[in-house]
């Protein structure tokens, strides 16, 4: 009887112990599942997928169009059917990506956890593609096609042998103005908080060998207002977003430039004391000999602050042009502070070994971002007081401007 009671008691203790362990296991499982659920909520993804035909064995790049330029997120080698699939962290504010094969690109905007589906054929994917799952991407496609049409019009005007230079400039200006009016009214002002409104601000056209912003906040007061409108809207919908802050900086710089242009129009010569609000932003970068060179150390000289990419096709031609100007005016107090944005330091040092001016490197692109550089190459003219005088898009004759400052 006693043995039976002991056995019963022992079984009861074992049963209770087992129940407690099971209870703990269940509790831990619930906690683990809750943690997993919480983690997945904070780790939402977007997806870009589809197919690009006629591109077997081609490498398809998926790039983030950051404020410092394109950054490769992922890539893959396309198979016979051309299918692809990329994913990324869902952004808190609209973000921009692109699909790229060689020189062909498709722009993508992401503002949530959507799945964007793209179908295209190489090598016409830039102008002929289908996109589903995102109104933003559909609008960006419309803008891209409009931009291609604008470029065709500009090329036709520039290449028409019966049109004089002055007449061509007037015709191109009218074409650009008509384009801007259409885009402002039908895309930007209708929904300035949208990703496609932001995208429209940074569309470009090429004339000669120069790439230019269609909306130029540094030389056109109406364009400054457009940038400011989108910046204000982004402040409301995406407070503290980096792109919104960047828009504000561009708009403020544009307003300052407008004051410069108004002063020039009134006096036919800029008064340096009025132009300079806070001098220039100093750059302290290492040159090709390992010496840190400060831009502000060049006070007393007329300086061409040049942003350059030696890996570009037009590099040699541009360097030859700069060398000719440097040789003419260096003895009179002219200097070049050239910032290379090349990522290969050895290549940069090789390319600049024989250059007579100050050559520094900034592979990070931070200096270009500081000066709101939107296209490479570009330059800024700095006067003898170490104040920003003019930007490239404000200069029609570089040599005459240098001589004026000397």
């Amino acid at each position: 009887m006693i043995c039976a009671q002991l056995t019963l008691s022992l079984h009861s203790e074992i049963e209770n112990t087992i129940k407690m362990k099971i209870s703990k296991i269940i509790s831990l499982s619930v906690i683990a599942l809750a943690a997993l659920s919480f983690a997945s909520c904070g780790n939402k993804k977007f997806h870009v997928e589809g197919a690009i035909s006629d591109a077997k064995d081609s490498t398809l790049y998926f790039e983030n169009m950051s404020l410092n330029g394109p950054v490769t997120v992922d890539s893959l080698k396309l198979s016979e059917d051309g299918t692809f699939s990329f994913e990324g962290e869902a952004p808190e504010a609209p973000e921009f990506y692109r699909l790229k094969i060689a020189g062909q690109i498709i722009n993508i905007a992401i503002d949530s956890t959507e799945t964007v589906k793209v179908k295209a054929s190489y090598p016409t994917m830039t102008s002929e593609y289908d996109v589903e799952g995102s109104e933003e991407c559909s609008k960006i496609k419309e803008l891209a096609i409009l931009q291609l049409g604008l470029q065709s019009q500009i090329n036709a005007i520039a290449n028409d042998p019966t049109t004089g230079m002055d007449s061509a400039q007037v015709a191109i200006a009218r074409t650009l103005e008509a384009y801007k009016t259409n885009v402002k009214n039908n895309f930007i002002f209708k929904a300035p908080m949208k990703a496609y409104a932001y995208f429209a601000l940074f569309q470009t056209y090429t004339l000669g060998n120069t790439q230019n912003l269609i909306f130029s906040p540094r030389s056109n007061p109406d364009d400054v207002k457009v940038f400011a409108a989108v910046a204000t809207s982004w402040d409301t919908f995406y407070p503290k977003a980096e792109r919104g802050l960047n828009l504000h900086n561009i708009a403020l710089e544009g307003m300052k430039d407008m004051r410069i242009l108004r002063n020039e129009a009134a006096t036919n010569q800029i008064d340096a004391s009025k132009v300079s609000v806070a001098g220039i932003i100093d750059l302290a970068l290492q040159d090709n000999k390992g010496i840190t060179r400060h831009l502000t150390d060049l006070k007393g000289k007329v300086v061409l602050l040049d942003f350059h990419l030696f890996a570009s096709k037009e590099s040699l031609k541009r360097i030859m042009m700069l060398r000719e100007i440097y040789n003419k005016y260096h003895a009179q107090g002219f200097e070049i502070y050239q910032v290379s944005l090349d990522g290969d330091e050895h290549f940069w040092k090789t390319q600049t070994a024989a250059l007579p001016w100050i050559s520094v490197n900034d592979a990070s692109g931070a200096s270009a971002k500081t000066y709101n550089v939107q296209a490479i190459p570009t330059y800024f003219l700095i006067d003898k007081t170490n104040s920003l005088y003019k930007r490239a898009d404000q200069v029609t004759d570089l040599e005459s401007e240098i001589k004026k400052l000397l």
Side-chain angles (χ1 to χ4, degrees), residues 271-280 295-296 298-303 382-389 405:
D271 181 347
S273 65
K274 294 180 181 179
V275 171
S276 177
V277 175
I280 57 171
L295 181 60
T296 51
L298 299 176
K299 188 173 182 178
K301 296 180 180 291
V302 174
V303 180
I382 298 169
D383 66 20
K384 292 182 180 181
T385 69
N386 226 203
S387 297
L388 185 64
Y389 174 67
L405 292 176

Side-chain angles (χ1 to χ4, degrees), residues 52 54-63 72 74-79 82-84 86 98-105 122 125:
I52 299 177
D54 301 325
K56 182 183 178 183
D57 295 331
S58 296
T59 300
L60 174 65
Y61 292 92
F62 184 54
E63 298 178 333
T72 300
D74 201 354
S75 65
L76 59 81
K77 197 171 190 178
L78 293 174
S79 59
T83 57
F84 65 88
F86 299 114
R98 70 182 185 183
L99 299 168
K100 186 182 78 167
I101 301 178
Q104 292 288 309
I105 63 172
Y122 186 77
M125 55 188 272

Side-chain angles (χ1 to χ4, degrees), residues 83-116:
T83 57
F84 65 88
S85 180
F86 299 114
E87 68 173 23
E89 299 289 336
E92 294 182 1
E95 193 52 65
F96 299 88
Y97 296 84
R98 70 182 185 183
L99 299 168
K100 186 182 78 167
I101 301 178
Q104 292 288 309
I105 63 172
I106 295 174
N107 291 294
I108 302 290
I110 299 293
D111 62 4
S112 64
T113 57
E114 70 264 53
T115 295
V116 179

Side-chain angles (χ1 to χ4, degrees), residues 217-235:
R218 294 168 180 163
S219 59
N220 188 313
D222 290 332
D223 292 352
V224 174
K225 294 176 184 177
V226 178
F227 270 80
V230 178
T232 301
S233 185
W234 273 54
D235 269 353

Side-chain angles (χ1 to χ4, degrees), residues 130-375:
D130 295 321
V131 61
E132 297 177 1
S134 169
E135 181 195 8
E136 299 276 21
C137 292
S138 296
K139 290 290 187 180
I140 284 176
K141 176 187 175 182
E142 291 181 44
L143 285 164
I145 292 173
L146 286 172
Q147 188 271 337
L148 289 172
L150 171 68
Q151 188 63 62
S152 295
Q153 288 180 280
I154 290 174
N155 291 344
I157 295 169
N159 296 327
D160 186 350
T162 64
T163 305
M165 183 177 294
D166 291 341
S167 298
Q169 289 178 343
V170 170
I172 290 172
R174 287 176 179 168
T175 302
L176 283 170
E177 196 56 41
Y179 181 90
K180 290 197 289 186
T181 299
N182 176 32
V183 170
K184 281 190 292 188
N185 293 338
N186 295 310
F187 293 88
I188 297 175
F189 290 151
K190 276 189 175 181
M193 80 296 295
K194 295 290 188 178
Y196 59 79
Y198 181 101
F199 177 84
L201 295 178
F202 297 98
Q203 285 191 294
T204 62
Y205 69 95
T206 301
L207 185 59
N209 294 319
T210 305
Q211 191 175 49
N212 308 279
L213 283 170
I214 294 172
F215 290 94
S216 179
R218 294 168 180 163
S219 59
N220 188 313
D222 290 332
D223 292 352
V224 174
K225 294 176 184 177
V226 178
F227 270 80
V230 178
T232 301
S233 185
W234 273 54
D235 269 353
T236 302
F237 285 86
Y238 318 109
K240 297 183 180 180
E242 187 178 11
R243 290 187 183 274
L245 294 174
N246 186 56
L247 285 179
H248 265 301
N249 290 336
I250 293 172
L252 290 173
E253 285 292 320
M255 291 174 189
K256 186 171 76 175
D257 288 342
M258 292 306 100
R259 290 196 296 270
I260 291 173
L261 291 175
R262 284 195 296 270
N263 288 341
E264 185 179 34
T267 65
N268 201 33
Q269 184 173 3
I270 294 180
D271 181 347
S273 65
K274 294 180 181 179
V275 171
S276 177
V277 175
I280 57 171
I281 302 172
D282 189 26
L283 298 179
L285 299 167
Q286 284 195 348
D287 67 12
N288 48 12
K289 298 178 180 63
I291 301 170
T292 299
R293 307 299 293 265
H294 286 266
L295 181 60
T296 51
D297 286 345
L298 299 176
K299 188 173 182 178
K301 296 180 180 291
V302 174
V303 180
L304 183 78
L305 170 58
D306 186 65
F307 289 90
H308 189 79
L309 194 65
F310 284 91
S312 69
K313 294 180 180 179
E314 298 296 322
S315 173
L316 180 59
K317 181 179 179 181
R318 180 177 174 78
I319 290 298
M320 295 301 291
M321 180 272 289
L322 291 177
R323 185 183 282 274
E324 183 178 347
I325 293 175
Y326 185 87
N327 291 341
K328 279 185 182 180
Y329 302 107
H330 177 63
Q332 301 175 42
F334 173 69
E335 187 56 81
I336 297 176
Y337 187 101
Q338 187 169 57
V339 182
S340 160
L341 301 176
D342 295 88
D344 188 332
E345 184 177 356
H346 176 73
F347 171 75
W348 160 67
K349 285 184 176 180
T350 301
Q351 294 295 308
T352 60
L355 296 181
W357 52 76
I358 298 170
S359 297
V360 297
N361 181 258
D362 181 17
S364 72
S367 58
K369 183 178 178 181
T370 297
Y371 274 82
N372 284 327
V373 170
Q374 303 297 323

